[in-house]
Amino acid sequence: MSIVDVAQAPAQHPISEPAPWWRQAAVYQIYPRSFSDANGDGLGDLPGITSKADYLHDLGIDAVWLSPFYPSALADGGYDVADYRNVDPRLGTLTDFDAMLDALHTRGIRVVVDIVPNHTSDQHAWFQEALASGRGSSARERYIFREGSGPDGALPPTDWVAAFGGSSWERVADGQWYLHNFAIEQPDLNWSNPEVRADFLTTLRFWSDRGVDGFRIDVAHMLTKDLTEPLPSQAQLDALPRDGMHPMVDRDDVHEVYAEWRQVFNSYDPPRTAVAEAWVDKARVPLYASPDGLGQAFNFDLLEADFDAGQFETVVRDNLTLAETSGSSSTWVLSNHDVVRHATRYGLPQPARDDSGRPARKHGADWVISGGVTPVLDRPAGERRARAATLFMLGLPGSSYLYQGEELGLHEVAEIPAGDRQDPTFFRSAGTDLGRDGCRVPLPWETGNDGGSAFGFGTGGSHLPQPAWFGDYSVAAQSTDPLSSLELYRSALSLRRTLQTGEHLEWIPTGRSDVLRYRRPNGWEIVTNFGTEPYPVDRDDVALASRALEAGSLPGEATVWFGSHGTD
Ligand code: GLC
């Protein structure tokens, strides 16, 4: 099968213009260091991904998005990039990358790579040069260096707090300070510097020339900054409106950068795609998703919603409207490498919410701190709701982004000893947040862990410890079970390819506030019962269900798909 074949809407349902592949893709996120380890060093690698190309094909996804695989000292799980145009030697070589790309393309799977433009690693040649070159050098102009405050400049220039905790400034040997909005090892780049801009264009061309199909843009809303003196305090920053003129986030001028990137994307045939990770006010998302910019943007609203009909409906309505504004398609996400897995979130009590309606604290963080003890996790309920939510999501118009392991119904791993933790959040937050390691534990492929096979991950153990219960969730355990999560995902993704046509959605009244029903073109209908009372349904052409229907009723906490190929 050629890559072009899978780009089109199914041939049986022709539409006038073939839609670009990304508009309604199922994109599977691979966190390469935790996917599959071919060389037995305990870290997943690119040959490991290649060895699972058939698994990915059989899963039925349209594309993979690879979290960073570049050389990195791993201060932030690879999001501290030391060289944007190479492969971490522990993960392979550029030749291995080409082989992986070829293996995936041959199977009709597109490849999206992660670009991290807000900051480099402190190991990047540019930052090392900046340290060596000293004050006022052009090397320092690629980053954001300032003199300190207080006597002898011994205090940070401002009281700004980094995303992972602690000051946003770090002092270097000659007394200057550099800005890092994330970990200390992630110095922010200076996007006012034309050399920085030019270098990222080179990187985009480098991977596009190799054949990658698109890019996921890390913290896309933070590149450009207005650092006119005097610099504001953190309280002042917090109080400023996020209207495009905020000194630090979501500035209008960041779109000048993306307009330039778009020229690069469009110089390829087919044009390369991009999706923005942009944590911005809803109304500003379309700027990132614009066809003149990155083209698509994540919305994390489903990921922050409770398993609740009202919340899910609002999220879908809002985001479909936003997608209309930009002309892009919407994205949907339930899990990724930064949050507690959704099977676990849905098995925990619903989080308290702040005035804006967002979870006041990261959902599941307290459960992780307790080592997975309190509040009590209701595993079956979490898994039941996760299955229902996933089928709800996969029915929606737009692209669904899946995170490795969610197809196994995997739970977050809470039982990671402090000595094994890797996330900078753990080291910088003084115990208030143990971080994101629990969703990054290497995948279980086999049921057994004999002889250090790391449940089939690799012969060299696993860089984050896997719990004993992983075997029950392994690919091998589930592949033989028609009721398993893995088989549900496989069936859903395969059916989705045949049922999915236009991007339209029509809500159908259900008479119940805890049941949502929507219809897609071609007679495809999705009904989700968020409550516990069975919901009688009036169709019998069940295509797939997260729980078996009983006497014509959809059980509680379940989703059913109706439809068959060719209905109208
Ligand atoms: C993004 C990534 C996250 C990373 C951060 C800094 O939010 O998803 O994993 O830590 O950016 O690069």
Side-chain angles (χ1 to χ4, degrees), residues 180-259:
H180 61 88
N181 270 301
F182 291 87
I184 293 172
E185 298 86 349
Q186 291 169 304
D188 278 44
L189 283 163
N190 172 13
W191 276 87
S192 307
N193 185 333
E195 197 187 350
V196 169
R197 294 196 181 207
D199 195 69
F200 273 85
L201 298 181
T202 305
T203 294
L204 296 174
R205 286 197 194 96
F206 178 86
W207 293 108
S208 297
D209 288 345
R210 286 201 110 78
V212 309
D213 303 281
F215 302 94
R216 177 262 186 191
I217 312 304
D218 190 67
V219 289
H221 56 300
M222 286 187 65
L223 280 47
T224 55
K225 284 142 196 149
D226 175 6
L227 298 175
T228 314
E229 308 274 348
L231 297 175
S233 67
Q234 183 69 53
Q236 287 168 328
L237 275 186
D238 292 345
L240 285 170
R242 297 193 169 198
D243 57 358
M245 297 304 286
H246 190 279
M248 197 64 81
V249 289
D250 189 24
R251 294 179 51 75
D252 286 338
D253 53 17
V254 79
H255 299 291
E256 294 164 18
V257 173
Y258 300 138

Coordinates of all heavy atoms in Angstrom, one line a residue, residues 180-259:
H180 N 15.3 30.5 31.7 CA 14.8 29.2 31.3 C 13.4 29.0 31.8 O 13.1 29.0 33.0 CB 15.7 28.1 31.9 CG 15.8 28.0 33.4 ND1 14.9 27.3 34.1 CD2 16.6 28.7 34.2 CE1 15.2 27.5 35.4 NE2 16.2 28.3 35.5
N181 N 12.4 29.0 30.9 CA 11.0 28.9 31.4 C 10.7 27.5 31.9 O 9.7 27.3 32.5 CB 10.1 29.3 30.3 CG 9.8 30.8 30.3 OD1 9.3 31.3 31.3 ND2 10.1 31.6 29.3
F182 N 11.5 26.5 31.5 CA 11.3 25.2 32.0 C 12.4 24.8 32.9 O 12.7 25.5 33.8 CB 11.0 24.3 30.7 CG 9.7 24.6 30.1 CD1 9.6 25.6 29.1 CD2 8.5 24.0 30.5 CE1 8.4 25.9 28.5 CE2 7.3 24.3 29.9 CZ 7.3 25.3 28.9
A183 N 13.1 23.6 32.6 CA 14.2 23.2 33.5 C 15.4 24.1 33.3 O 15.6 24.7 32.3 CB 14.5 21.7 33.2
I184 N 16.3 24.0 34.4 CA 17.5 24.8 34.3 C 18.3 24.4 33.0 O 19.0 25.3 32.4 CB 18.3 24.5 35.6 CG1 17.6 25.1 36.8 CG2 19.8 25.1 35.4 CD1 18.3 24.6 38.1
E185 N 18.2 23.2 32.7 CA 19.0 22.7 31.5 C 18.3 23.0 30.2 O 18.7 22.5 29.2 CB 19.1 21.1 31.6 CG 19.9 20.7 32.9 CD 19.0 20.5 34.1 OE1 17.8 20.9 34.0 OE2 19.4 19.9 35.1
Q186 N 17.3 23.9 30.2 CA 16.6 24.2 29.0 C 16.6 25.8 28.8 O 15.5 26.4 29.0 CB 15.1 23.7 29.0 CG 15.0 22.2 29.0 CD 13.6 21.7 29.3 OE1 13.1 22.0 30.4 NE2 13.0 20.9 28.4
P187 N 17.7 26.3 28.4 CA 17.7 27.8 28.2 C 16.8 28.2 27.1 O 16.8 27.6 26.0 CB 19.2 28.0 27.9 CG 19.8 26.7 27.4 CD 19.0 25.7 28.1
D188 N 16.0 29.3 27.3 CA 15.2 29.8 26.3 C 16.0 30.4 25.2 O 16.9 31.2 25.4 CB 14.2 30.9 26.8 CG 13.0 30.3 27.5 OD1 13.2 29.3 28.3 OD2 11.9 30.8 27.3
L189 N 15.6 30.2 23.9 CA 16.2 30.8 22.8 C 15.7 32.3 22.6 O 14.6 32.6 23.1 CB 15.9 30.0 21.5 CG 16.7 28.8 21.4 CD1 16.1 27.8 20.3 CD2 18.2 29.1 21.0
N190 N 16.5 33.1 21.9 CA 16.1 34.5 21.6 C 15.5 34.5 20.2 O 16.3 34.5 19.2 CB 17.3 35.4 21.8 CG 17.1 36.8 21.3 OD1 15.9 37.1 21.1 ND2 18.1 37.5 21.1
W191 N 14.2 34.5 20.1 CA 13.6 34.5 18.8 C 13.6 35.9 18.1 O 13.0 36.0 17.0 CB 12.1 33.9 18.9 CG 12.3 32.4 18.9 CD1 12.5 31.6 19.9 CD2 12.2 31.6 17.7 NE1 12.6 30.3 19.5 CE2 12.4 30.3 18.1 CE3 12.1 31.9 16.4 CZ2 12.5 29.2 17.2 CZ3 12.1 30.8 15.5 CH2 12.3 29.5 15.9
S192 N 14.2 36.9 18.7 CA 14.4 38.1 18.0 C 15.6 38.0 17.1 O 15.9 38.9 16.4 CB 14.6 39.3 19.0 OG 13.6 39.3 19.9
N193 N 16.4 37.0 17.3 CA 17.7 36.8 16.6 C 17.5 36.1 15.3 O 17.0 34.9 15.3 CB 18.6 36.0 17.5 CG 20.0 35.9 16.9 OD1 20.2 36.0 15.7 ND2 21.0 35.8 17.8
P194 N 17.7 36.8 14.2 CA 17.5 36.1 12.9 C 18.2 34.8 12.7 O 17.8 33.9 12.0 CB 18.0 37.2 11.9 CG 18.2 38.4 12.6 CD 18.3 38.1 14.1
E195 N 19.4 34.7 13.4 CA 20.1 33.4 13.2 C 19.3 32.2 13.8 O 19.3 31.1 13.3 CB 21.4 33.6 14.0 CG 22.4 32.5 13.6 CD 23.7 32.6 14.4 OE1 23.9 33.6 15.2 OE2 24.5 31.7 14.3
V196 N 18.6 32.5 14.9 CA 17.8 31.4 15.5 C 16.7 31.1 14.6 O 16.4 29.9 14.3 CB 17.2 31.9 16.9 CG1 16.1 31.0 17.4 CG2 18.3 32.1 17.9
R197 N 16.0 32.1 14.0 CA 14.9 31.8 13.1 C 15.4 31.0 11.9 O 14.8 30.0 11.5 CB 14.3 33.1 12.6 CG 13.7 33.8 13.7 CD 12.7 34.9 13.2 NE 12.2 35.6 14.3 CZ 11.0 36.2 14.3 NH1 10.3 36.2 13.2 NH2 10.6 36.8 15.4
A198 N 16.6 31.4 11.3 CA 17.1 30.7 10.1 C 17.4 29.3 10.5 O 17.2 28.3 9.7 CB 18.3 31.4 9.6
D199 N 18.0 29.0 11.6 CA 18.4 27.7 12.0 C 17.2 26.7 12.1 O 17.3 25.6 11.7 CB 19.2 27.7 13.3 CG 19.9 26.4 13.5 OD1 20.9 26.2 12.8 OD2 19.5 25.6 14.4
F200 N 16.1 27.2 12.6 CA 14.9 26.3 12.7 C 14.4 26.0 11.3 O 13.9 24.9 11.0 CB 13.9 26.8 13.6 CG 14.2 26.4 15.0 CD1 15.0 27.1 15.8 CD2 13.6 25.2 15.5 CE1 15.4 26.6 17.1 CE2 14.0 24.7 16.8 CZ 14.8 25.5 17.6
L201 N 14.5 27.0 10.4 CA 14.1 26.7 9.0 C 14.9 25.5 8.4 O 14.4 24.6 7.7 CB 14.2 27.9 8.1 CG 13.3 29.1 8.5 CD1 13.5 30.3 7.6 CD2 11.8 28.7 8.6
T202 N 16.2 25.6 8.7 CA 17.1 24.5 8.3 C 16.7 23.2 8.9 O 16.7 22.2 8.2 CB 18.6 24.9 8.7 OG1 18.9 26.1 8.2 CG2 19.6 23.8 8.2
T203 N 16.3 23.2 10.1 CA 15.9 21.9 10.8 C 14.6 21.4 10.1 O 14.5 20.2 9.9 CB 15.7 22.2 12.3 OG1 16.9 22.5 12.9 CG2 15.1 21.0 13.0
L204 N 13.7 22.3 9.9 CA 12.4 21.8 9.3 C 12.7 21.2 7.9 O 12.1 20.2 7.5 CB 11.4 23.0 9.1 CG 10.9 23.6 10.5 CD1 10.1 24.8 10.2 CD2 10.2 22.6 11.3
R205 N 13.6 21.9 7.2 CA 13.9 21.3 5.8 C 14.7 20.0 5.9 O 14.5 19.1 5.2 CB 14.8 22.3 5.0 CG 14.0 23.5 4.5 CD 14.7 24.3 3.4 NE 14.1 25.5 3.2 CZ 14.5 26.7 3.8 NH1 15.6 26.7 4.5 NH2 13.8 27.8 3.6
F206 N 15.5 19.9 6.9 CA 16.3 18.7 7.1 C 15.4 17.5 7.3 O 15.6 16.5 6.6 CB 17.2 18.9 8.4 CG 18.0 17.7 8.7 CD1 19.3 17.5 8.2 CD2 17.6 16.7 9.6 CE1 20.0 16.4 8.5 CE2 18.3 15.6 10.0 CZ 19.6 15.4 9.4
W207 N 14.4 17.6 8.1 CA 13.5 16.4 8.4 C 12.5 16.3 7.2 O 12.2 15.2 6.8 CB 12.8 16.6 9.7 CG 13.8 16.4 10.8 CD1 14.2 17.4 11.7 CD2 14.6 15.3 11.2 NE1 15.2 17.0 12.5 CE2 15.4 15.7 12.3 CE3 14.6 14.0 10.8 CZ2 16.3 14.8 12.9 CZ3 15.5 13.1 11.4 CH2 16.3 13.5 12.5
S208 N 12.1 17.4 6.6 CA 11.2 17.3 5.5 C 11.9 16.6 4.3 O 11.3 15.8 3.6 CB 10.7 18.7 5.0 OG 10.0 19.3 6.1
D209 N 13.1 17.0 4.1 CA 13.9 16.4 3.0 C 14.1 14.9 3.2 O 14.1 14.1 2.3 CB 15.3 17.0 2.9 CG 15.3 18.4 2.3 OD1 14.2 18.8 1.8 OD2 16.3 19.1 2.4
R210 N 14.2 14.5 4.5 CA 14.3 13.0 4.8 C 13.0 12.3 4.6 O 12.9 11.1 4.6 CB 14.7 12.8 6.2 CG 16.1 13.2 6.5 CD 16.6 12.5 7.8 NE 17.6 11.4 7.5 CZ 18.9 11.6 7.2 NH1 19.3 12.9 7.2 NH2 19.7 10.6 6.9
G211 N 11.9 13.1 4.5 CA 10.6 12.4 4.2 C 9.6 12.5 5.3 O 8.5 11.8 5.2
V212 N 9.9 13.2 6.4 CA 8.8 13.2 7.4 C 7.6 14.0 6.9 O 7.7 14.9 6.1 CB 9.3 13.8 8.8 CG1 10.6 13.1 9.3 CG2 9.4 15.3 8.8
D213 N 6.5 13.6 7.4 CA 5.2 14.2 6.9 C 4.7 15.4 7.7 O 3.9 16.1 7.2 CB 4.1 13.1 7.0 CG 4.6 11.8 6.2 OD1 4.5 11.8 5.0 OD2 5.1 10.9 6.8
G214 N 5.2 15.6 8.9 CA 4.7 16.7 9.6 C 5.5 16.9 10.9 O 6.4 16.1 11.3
F215 N 5.0 17.9 11.7 CA 5.7 18.3 12.9 C 4.8 18.6 14.0 O 3.7 19.2 13.8 CB 6.6 19.6 12.6 CG 7.6 19.4 11.5 CD1 7.3 19.8 10.2 CD2 8.8 18.9 11.8 CE1 8.2 19.6 9.2 CE2 9.8 18.7 10.8 CZ 9.5 19.0 9.5
R216 N 5.1 18.2 15.2 CA 4.4 18.7 16.4 C 5.3 19.7 17.1 O 6.4 19.5 17.3 CB 4.1 17.5 17.3 CG 3.4 17.8 18.6 CD 4.4 18.0 19.8 NE 3.7 18.1 21.1 CZ 4.4 18.5 22.2 NH1 5.7 18.7 22.2 NH2 3.7 18.6 23.3
I217 N 4.7 20.9 17.3 CA 5.5 22.0 17.8 C 5.3 22.2 19.3 O 4.2 22.6 19.8 CB 5.1 23.3 17.0 CG1 5.1 23.1 15.5 CG2 6.1 24.4 17.4 CD1 6.3 22.5 14.9
D218 N 6.4 22.0 20.0 CA 6.3 22.1 21.5 C 6.2 23.5 21.9 O 6.8 24.4 21.4 CB 7.7 21.5 21.9 CG 7.7 21.3 23.4 OD1 7.0 20.4 23.9 OD2 8.5 22.0 24.1
V219 N 5.4 23.7 23.0 CA 5.1 25.0 23.5 C 5.1 26.1 22.5 O 5.9 27.1 22.6 CB 5.9 25.4 24.8 CG1 5.5 24.6 26.0 CG2 7.4 25.2 24.6
A220 N 4.3 26.0 21.5 CA 4.3 26.9 20.3 C 3.9 28.3 20.7 O 4.1 29.2 19.9 CB 3.3 26.3 19.3
H221 N 3.4 28.5 21.9 CA 2.9 29.8 22.2 C 3.9 30.6 23.0 O 3.6 31.7 23.5 CB 1.6 29.7 23.1 CG 1.8 28.8 24.3 ND1 2.2 27.5 24.3 CD2 1.7 29.1 25.7 CE1 2.4 27.1 25.5 NE2 2.1 28.0 26.4
M222 N 5.1 30.2 23.1 CA 6.0 30.9 24.0 C 7.3 31.4 23.3 O 8.1 32.0 24.0 CB 6.4 30.0 25.1 CG 5.3 29.9 26.1 SD 5.7 29.0 27.6 CE 6.9 30.1 28.3
L223 N 7.5 31.2 22.0 CA 8.8 31.5 21.4 C 9.2 33.0 21.6 O 10.3 33.4 22.1 CB 8.8 31.2 20.0 CG 9.0 29.7 19.6 CD1 8.2 28.7 20.4 CD2 8.8 29.5 18.1
T224 N 8.3 33.9 21.1 CA 8.7 35.3 21.0 C 8.4 36.0 22.4 O 7.4 35.6 23.0 CB 7.9 36.0 19.9 OG1 6.5 35.8 20.1 CG2 8.4 35.5 18.5
K225 N 9.2 36.9 22.7 CA 9.0 37.6 24.0 C 9.3 39.1 23.9 O 10.1 39.5 23.0 CB 10.0 37.0 25.0 CG 9.5 35.6 25.5 CD 10.6 34.6 25.8 CE 10.0 33.3 25.9 NZ 10.9 32.2 25.4
D226 N 8.7 39.9 24.7 CA 9.0 41.3 24.8 C 9.8 41.5 26.1 O 9.1 41.6 27.2 CB 7.8 42.2 24.7 CG 8.1 43.7 24.9 OD1 9.3 44.0 25.0 OD2 7.2 44.5 25.0
L227 N 11.1 41.6 26.0 CA 11.8 41.7 27.3 C 12.4 43.2 27.5 O 13.5 43.3 27.9 CB 12.9 40.7 27.3 CG 12.4 39.3 27.2 CD1 13.5 38.2 27.1 CD2 11.5 39.0 28.5
T228 N 11.6 44.1 27.1 CA 12.0 45.5 27.2 C 12.1 45.8 28.7 O 11.2 45.4 29.5 CB 10.8 46.4 26.7 OG1 10.5 46.0 25.4 CG2 11.3 47.9 26.6
E229 N 13.2 46.5 29.1 CA 13.4 46.9 30.5 C 12.5 48.1 30.9 O 12.2 48.9 30.0 CB 14.9 47.3 30.8 CG 15.9 46.2 30.2 CD 16.2 45.1 31.2 OE1 15.8 45.3 32.4 OE2 16.8 44.1 30.8
P230 N 12.0 48.3 32.1 CA 12.3 47.3 33.2 C 11.3 46.1 33.1 O 10.2 46.2 32.6 CB 11.9 48.1 34.4 CG 10.9 49.1 33.9 CD 11.3 49.4 32.5
L231 N 11.9 44.9 33.4 CA 11.1 43.7 33.3 C 10.0 43.7 34.4 O 10.3 44.1 35.5 CB 12.0 42.5 33.5 CG 13.1 42.3 32.4 CD1 14.0 41.2 32.7 CD2 12.4 42.2 31.0
P232 N 8.9 43.2 34.1 CA 7.8 43.1 35.1 C 8.1 42.0 36.1 O 8.9 41.2 35.9 CB 6.6 42.8 34.3 CG 7.1 42.1 33.0 CD 8.5 42.6 32.8
S233 N 7.3 42.1 37.2 CA 7.4 41.1 38.3 C 6.5 39.9 37.8 O 5.7 40.1 36.9 CB 7.0 41.6 39.6 OG 5.6 41.9 39.5
Q234 N 6.6 38.8 38.6 CA 5.8 37.7 38.3 C 4.3 38.1 38.5 O 3.4 37.7 37.7 CB 6.1 36.5 39.1 CG 5.3 35.2 38.9 CD 5.6 34.6 37.5 OE1 6.8 34.3 37.2 NE2 4.6 34.4 36.7
A235 N 4.0 38.8 39.6 CA 2.7 39.2 39.8 C 2.1 40.1 38.7 O 1.0 40.0 38.2 CB 2.6 40.0 41.1
Q236 N 3.0 41.0 38.2 CA 2.6 41.8 37.0 C 2.3 41.0 35.8 O 1.3 41.2 35.1 CB 3.6 42.9 36.8 CG 3.6 44.0 37.8 CD 4.9 44.9 37.7 OE1 5.9 44.5 37.3 NE2 4.7 46.2 38.1
L237 N 3.2 40.0 35.6 CA 3.0 39.1 34.4 C 1.7 38.4 34.5 O 0.9 38.3 33.5 CB 4.1 38.1 34.4 CG 5.4 38.4 33.7 CD1 6.3 37.1 33.6 CD2 5.2 38.9 32.3
D238 N 1.4 37.9 35.7 CA 0.2 37.1 35.9 C -1.0 38.0 35.7 O -2.1 37.5 35.3 CB 0.1 36.5 37.3 CG 1.2 35.5 37.5 OD1 1.8 35.0 36.5 OD2 1.5 35.1 38.7
A239 N -0.9 39.3 36.0 CA -2.1 40.2 35.9 C -2.3 40.7 34.5 O -3.4 41.2 34.2 CB -1.9 41.3 36.9
L240 N -1.3 40.6 33.7 CA -1.5 41.2 32.3 C -2.4 40.3 31.5 O -2.4 39.1 31.5 CB -0.1 41.2 31.6 CG 0.8 42.4 32.1 CD1 2.2 42.2 31.6 CD2 0.2 43.7 31.7
P241 N -3.3 41.0 30.7 CA -4.2 40.2 29.8 C -3.4 39.4 28.7 O -2.3 39.9 28.3 CB -5.0 41.3 29.1 CG -4.2 42.5 29.2 CD -3.4 42.4 30.5
R242 N -3.9 38.3 28.4 CA -3.2 37.5 27.3 C -3.9 37.8 26.0 O -4.7 37.0 25.5 CB -3.3 36.0 27.7 CG -2.6 35.7 29.0 CD -2.4 34.3 29.2 NE -1.4 34.1 30.3 CZ -0.8 33.0 30.6 NH1 -1.0 31.9 29.8 NH2 0.1 32.8 31.6
D243 N -3.6 39.0 25.5 CA -4.3 39.5 24.4 C -3.4 39.6 23.1 O -3.7 40.3 22.2 CB -4.9 40.9 24.7 CG -3.8 41.8 25.2 OD1 -2.6 41.4 25.2 OD2 -4.1 43.0 25.5
G244 N -2.3 38.9 23.2 CA -1.4 39.0 22.0 C -0.2 39.9 22.3 O 0.7 39.9 21.5
M245 N -0.4 40.7 23.4 CA 0.7 41.6 23.7 C 1.4 41.3 25.0 O 2.3 42.0 25.5 CB 0.2 43.1 23.8 CG -0.5 43.6 22.5 SD 0.7 43.5 21.1 CE 1.8 44.9 21.6
H246 N 1.0 40.2 25.6 CA 1.7 39.7 26.9 C 3.2 39.6 26.6 O 3.6 39.1 25.5 CB 1.0 38.4 27.3 CG 1.4 38.0 28.7 ND1 2.6 37.3 28.9 CD2 0.8 38.1 29.9 CE1 2.7 37.1 30.2 NE2 1.6 37.5 30.8
P247 N 4.0 40.0 27.5 CA 5.5 39.9 27.3 C 6.0 38.5 27.0 O 7.0 38.3 26.4 CB 6.1 40.5 28.5 CG 5.0 41.2 29.3 CD 3.7 40.6 28.8
M248 N 5.3 37.5 27.5 CA 5.9 36.2 27.6 C 5.2 35.1 26.8 O 5.8 34.2 26.3 CB 6.0 35.8 29.1 CG 6.9 34.6 29.4 SD 8.6 35.1 29.0 CE 9.0 36.0 30.5
V249 N 3.8 35.2 26.8 CA 3.1 34.1 26.2 C 2.1 34.5 25.1 O 1.5 35.6 25.2 CB 2.3 33.2 27.2 CG1 3.3 32.4 28.1 CG2 1.4 34.1 28.1
D250 N 1.9 33.7 24.1 CA 0.9 33.8 23.1 C 0.9 35.2 22.5 O -0.1 35.9 22.4 CB -0.5 33.5 23.8 CG -1.6 33.5 22.7 OD1 -1.3 33.2 21.6 OD2 -2.8 33.7 23.1
R251 N 2.1 35.6 22.1 CA 2.2 37.0 21.5 C 1.8 36.9 20.0 O 2.1 35.9 19.3 CB 3.6 37.5 21.6 CG 4.1 37.7 23.1 CD 5.5 38.2 23.1 NE 5.8 39.3 22.2 CZ 5.4 40.6 22.4 NH1 4.7 40.9 23.5 NH2 5.7 41.5 21.6
D252 N 1.2 38.0 19.5 CA 0.8 38.0 18.1 C 2.0 37.8 17.2 O 1.9 37.2 16.2 CB 0.2 39.4 17.8 CG -1.3 39.5 18.4 OD1 -1.9 38.4 18.6 OD2 -1.7 40.6 18.5
D253 N 3.2 38.3 17.6 CA 4.3 38.2 16.7 C 4.9 36.8 16.5 O 5.7 36.6 15.7 CB 5.4 39.3 17.1 CG 5.9 39.1 18.5 OD1 5.6 38.1 19.2 OD2 6.5 40.1 19.0
V254 N 4.4 35.9 17.3 CA 4.9 34.5 17.1 C 4.4 34.0 15.8 O 5.0 33.1 15.2 CB 4.5 33.6 18.3 CG1 3.0 33.1 18.2 CG2 5.4 32.3 18.3
H255 N 3.3 34.5 15.3 CA 2.7 34.0 14.0 C 3.5 34.5 12.8 O 3.4 33.9 11.8 CB 1.2 34.4 13.9 CG 0.5 33.8 15.1 ND1 0.3 32.4 15.1 CD2 -0.1 34.3 16.2 CE1 -0.4 32.2 16.3 NE2 -0.6 33.3 16.9
E256 N 4.4 35.5 13.0 CA 5.4 35.8 12.0 C 6.3 34.6 11.8 O 6.7 34.3 10.6 CB 6.1 37.1 12.3 CG 5.3 38.3 12.4 CD 6.0 39.5 13.1 OE1 7.2 39.5 13.3 OE2 5.3 40.4 13.5
V257 N 6.7 34.0 12.9 CA 7.6 32.9 12.8 C 6.9 31.7 12.0 O 7.4 31.1 11.1 CB 7.9 32.4 14.2 CG1 8.7 31.0 14.1 CG2 8.7 33.4 15.0
Y258 N 5.6 31.5 12.4 CA 4.9 30.4 11.7 C 4.5 30.6 10.3 O 4.4 29.7 9.5 CB 3.7 30.0 12.6 CG 4.1 29.5 14.0 CD1 3.4 29.9 15.1 CD2 5.3 28.8 14.2 CE1 3.8 29.6 16.4 CE2 5.7 28.4 15.4 CZ 5.0 28.8 16.5 OH 5.4 28.4 17.8
A259 N 4.4 31.9 10.0 CA 4.1 32.2 8.5 C 5.3 31.8 7.7 O 5.2 31.3 6.6 CB 3.8 33.7 8.4

